[in-house]
């Protein structure tokens, strides 16, 4: 097996217009065009999509789950950002 | 897609790494017990990772090898309609294999490595695909029984603790129902047909029944990895539970078709509301797994030839990509 390893692409599919693209899985392909074709064949055999994005997995910058406590901690103590933080007196409506 | 007790095979996970402190392992198990999903980059014990790589890649290999017995009938399907359906089904199996390789790769093993392990014979695949498809009725029986058994196995895997595997299984299960129904539809047509067609259907059931119920893997008492896989919530039900469930739903379907399940000890137990069934010949299961089934060598040879025969296509695509990248630069 002397095959060169084709790069890995992550596949994102928009199920229908109005929805955002969502991660579906990954494919290997020699180039971008082939990645789109493979993504279509593998992930949309039953009309699951109206649009496909593919991006080389190596191009994705991801946060580290081990650091997630520190990363998201600043949002934790700002409960005043949620409407439920505020007490509205009885009788006040449309607020 | 097709699992059998795939977690049953291969070596026991090796000893724990020193970096796997008791606290980390406890915290990991607590996440599992709280039904949290584990994602690709999360910390996980090496044994959990290895178990998943083995199970998911073997599952993927089974899908890929599983195209062969059915592919055997693509050019001889009795009508154009049946041919289109079978073609779509076989294409789905390739797709399922690819979803699963994609899930397994998130654990840090490359697809090339997994394919190399299949081709070298190091990795296993479901033993059911080492049986031949002698008649058209075998195609019906595979859809009905083999995909039926696979669905029993796979539905609980949709809740597996490893996120990428669970998500792949959701997609697969959605597609699998078509596979089972098209198989039953073939059996229905044959069992309502001529005496010769009905005999063909019965013959296929006779040959596939026992291998199908073996797909759930060895009995719980002989199942090596079950307890750990259950604790990790990779597996949700035991082999025997799933086998019983499969038999309970399938026997009435055979009755409807007017076909006889080839088990003289099969009997409905009013008290337990389950079917009692005869002893399974586990020696046959282990023989096929060890490489001595009717088609093991042929399946591997066909796979290796396909891989080698396609090498020039992969090389050409690579050369084309490199040339265009160079021109764009």
């Amino acid at each position: 097996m002397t095959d060169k390893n084709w790069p890995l692409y992550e596949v994102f599919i928009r199920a229908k217009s109005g929805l955002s693209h969502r991660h579906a899985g990954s494919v290997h392909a020699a180039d971008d065009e082939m990645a789109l074709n493979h993504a279509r064949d593998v992930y949309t055999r039953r009309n699951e999509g109206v649009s496909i994005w593919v991006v080389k997995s190596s191009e994705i910058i991801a946060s580290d789950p081990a650091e997630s406590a520190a990363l998201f901690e600043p949002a934790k103590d700002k409960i005043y950002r949620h409407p439920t933080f505020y007490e509205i007196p009885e009788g006040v409506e449309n607020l | 897609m097709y699992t059998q007790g795939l977690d049953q095979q291969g070596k026991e996970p090796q000893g724990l790494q020193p970096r796997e402190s008791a606290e980390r392992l406890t915290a990991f198990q607590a996440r599992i017990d709280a039904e949290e999903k584990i994602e690709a980059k999360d910390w996980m014990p090496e044994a959990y990772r290895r178990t998943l790589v083995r199970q998911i890649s073997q599952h993927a290999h089974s899908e890929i090898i599983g195209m062969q017995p059915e592919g055997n009938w693509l050019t001889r399907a009795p009508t154009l309609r049946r041919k289109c359906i079978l073609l779509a089904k076989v294409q789905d199996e390739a797709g399922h294999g690819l979803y699963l390789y994609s899930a397994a790769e998130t654990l840090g093993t490359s697809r090339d490595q997994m394919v190399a392990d299949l081709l070298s014979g190091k990795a296993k695949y479901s033993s059911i695909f080492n049986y031949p498809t002698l008649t058209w009725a075998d195609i019906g029986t595979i859809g009905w029984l083999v995909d039926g058994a696979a669905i029993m196995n796979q539905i609980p895997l949709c809740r597996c603790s490893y996120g990428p595997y669970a998500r792949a299984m959701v997609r697969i299960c959605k597609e699998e129902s078509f596979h089972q129904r098209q198989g039953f539809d073939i059996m229905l047509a044959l069992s309502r047909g001529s005496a010769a067609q009905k005999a063909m259907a019965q013959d296929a059931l006779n040959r596939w029944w026992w291998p199908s119920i073996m797909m759930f893997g060895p009995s719980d008492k002989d199942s090596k990895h079950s307890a750990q896989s259950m604790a990790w919530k990779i597996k949700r039900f035991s082999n025997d539970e799933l086998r019983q469930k499969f038999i309970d739903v399938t026997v009435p379907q055979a009755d409807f078709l007017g076909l006889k399940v080839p088990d003289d000890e099969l009997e409905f137990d009013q008290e337990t509301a389950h079917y009692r069934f005869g002893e399974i010949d586990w020696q046959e299961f282990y023989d096929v797994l060890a490489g001595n089934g009717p088609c093991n060598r042929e399946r591997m040879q066909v796979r290796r030839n396909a891989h080698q025969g396609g090498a020039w296509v992969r090389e050409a695509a690579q050369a084309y990509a490199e040339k265009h990248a160079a021109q764009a630069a």
Side-chain angles (χ1 to χ4, degrees), chain A residues 1-6 8 24-28 30-31 33-34 42-43 45-46 48 62-63 65, chain B residues 41-42 91-92 95-96 98-99 102 105 111-112 119 171 175 178 307 314-315 317-318 320-322:
Chain A
M1 274 4 99
T2 55
D3 299 340
K4 259 197 178 163
N5 210 345
W6 285 353
L8 188 66
S26 62
V27 293
H28 283 274
D31 59 27
E33 192 190 346
M34 189 195 275
V42 176
Y43 293 105
R45 286 193 305 284
R46 287 174 174 74
E48 289 96 333
S63 65
Chain B
K41 290 180 137 195
D42 293 354
Q91 193 189 17
D92 272 354
H96 295 180
L98 295 175
Y99 305 158
S102 163
E105 269 184 300
R111 191 167 312 199
D112 283 2
L119 296 179
R171 186 176 274 274
E175 301 181 355
F178 143 57
H307 192 78
R314 294 190 294 277
E315 280 160 23
Q318 185 69 36
Y320 177 85
E322 280 166 9

Side-chain angles (χ1 to χ4, degrees), chain B residues 7-14 50 54 122 224-225:
Chain B
D7 55 328
Q8 307 303 321
Q9 305 155 17
K11 294 203 174 82
E12 290 281 350
Q14 302 298 304
R50 268 199 303 270
R54 184 183 61 220
K122 188 181 162 213
K224 273 183 275 177
H225 299 295

